[in-house]
Amino acid sequence: MVAVILLAVGMFGISGPSAQAQSSRCKIALVLALDVSGSVNWKEFRLQSNGTADAFEDADVLQLLSYYQGGVMVTLMQWADSGYQEVSVGWTEIKLPEDAQEFADSVRKISRGPTALTATGTALHFAENLFATAPVACDRQIIDVSTDGRSNRGVDLPQAANTVSADGTIINALVIYGEDLELESYLRTNLVRGAGAFSHAIVSYSDYPVAIKRKLLRELQPTISMLSP
């Protein structure tokens, strides 16, 4: 997978002036949305947050991020029931390795929010509203939802997903199975939306650090991010 991604970067890197001009703009605004509902214990929360931080320090991810001359905007939020959505790390513009390191350091310092039920649709609307607060506008908007359960509170999930994706926003899912072996199928049907959108499933939170790296490499690759919305 990494070799394919880096080959794509190389191919786009030798393209003509129009591609050069495109890459000088912000291409991607990414909202990382972490589920901290009652099914997620403290250890699992730390596997999410530290795994995310590790991914932004990874050499393959940094090489891919360096392709975008205009940078990538990233923010991280926590969510649980309909009464809890919170920005934990504000919008960070990543152009250089030190920018990614700053983001990673901030993610490692976050505190876990209150546990409760799971309002995935409400979280989507909150994430969508974050794009309007970004310091710069980007060509692509992606919401990266990590969750281990089905929505059981708040607004209707498929309706929220349809509304949020109507403007071209991509919604991807990192699915932690746990005991629900049908969870990925449920989220593919009710949550995942947009051009090139996908889900990535893992068995447990111990697999999260590797999974979030792979997910970022797929979300950020030029063959996806340079598609027209």
Side-chain angles (χ1 to χ4, degrees):
M1 172 65 76
V2 174
V4 173
I5 292 168
L6 297 182
L7 176 60
V9 172
M11 291 173 64
F12 280 100
I14 59 175
S15 298
S18 60
Q20 184 85 18
Q22 278 192 330
S23 66
S24 67
R25 299 178 55 190
C26 175
K27 292 302 295 182
I28 302 169
L30 175 64
V31 177
L32 300 171
L34 305 188
D35 178 357
V36 294
S37 58
S39 59
V40 182
N41 64 35
W42 179 259
K43 179 180 178 181
E44 291 166 342
F45 168 72
R46 276 303 166 206
L47 284 168
Q48 285 191 87
S49 58
N50 289 341
T52 300
D54 290 346
F56 279 87
E57 295 172 334
D58 180 83
D60 292 331
V61 173
L62 289 172
Q63 184 170 358
L64 187 52
L65 286 168
S66 70
Y67 166 74
Y68 298 104
Q69 296 179 15
V72 172
M73 300 296 303
V74 185
T75 186
L76 183 142
M77 60 172 281
Q78 299 181 52
W79 60 276
D81 66 16
S82 54
Y84 181 73
Q85 306 87 38
E86 179 180 280
V87 175
S88 298
V89 181
W91 284 110
T92 304
E93 187 173 19
I94 299 178
K95 291 185 176 181
L96 301 170
E98 46 264 43
D99 301 327
Q101 186 64 62
E102 179 184 351
F103 182 76
D105 291 343
S106 296
V107 172
R108 283 201 179 88
K109 295 175 183 176
I110 67 175
S111 298
R112 189 224 173 102
T115 61
L117 297 171
T118 308
T120 317
T122 307
L124 283 181
H125 284 303
F126 184 86
E128 177 189 30
N129 291 334
L130 292 179
F131 291 119
T133 70
V136 298
C138 300
D139 292 341
R140 304 287 287 175
Q141 297 181 168
I142 303 174
I143 301 173
D144 181 334
V145 179
S146 297
T147 184
D148 68 353
R150 302 184 184 219
S151 185
N152 53 32
R153 284 293 184 276
V155 301
D156 180 75
L157 177 55
Q159 182 178 353
N162 291 338
T163 299
V164 169
S165 63
D167 65 352
T169 295
I170 297 168
I171 307 170
N172 296 327
L174 201 167
V175 185
I176 302 95
Y177 273 124
E179 298 179 358
D180 186 352
L181 298 182
E182 300 298 322
L183 182 59
E184 184 178 20
S185 176
Y186 164 81
L187 291 170
R188 280 180 177 173
T189 299
N190 296 290
L191 173 68
V192 176
R193 297 287 190 276
F198 65 95
S199 62
H200 184 84
I202 57 178
V203 175
S204 69
Y205 278 95
S206 61
D207 301 317
Y208 192 94
V210 172
I212 188 64
K213 172 191 169 179
R214 290 177 177 172
K215 193 161 184 284
L216 285 170
L217 287 172
R218 185 170 176 181
E219 285 172 330
L220 298 173
Q221 63 174 296
T223 52
I224 297 297
S225 65
M226 295 188 75
L227 291 170
S228 297

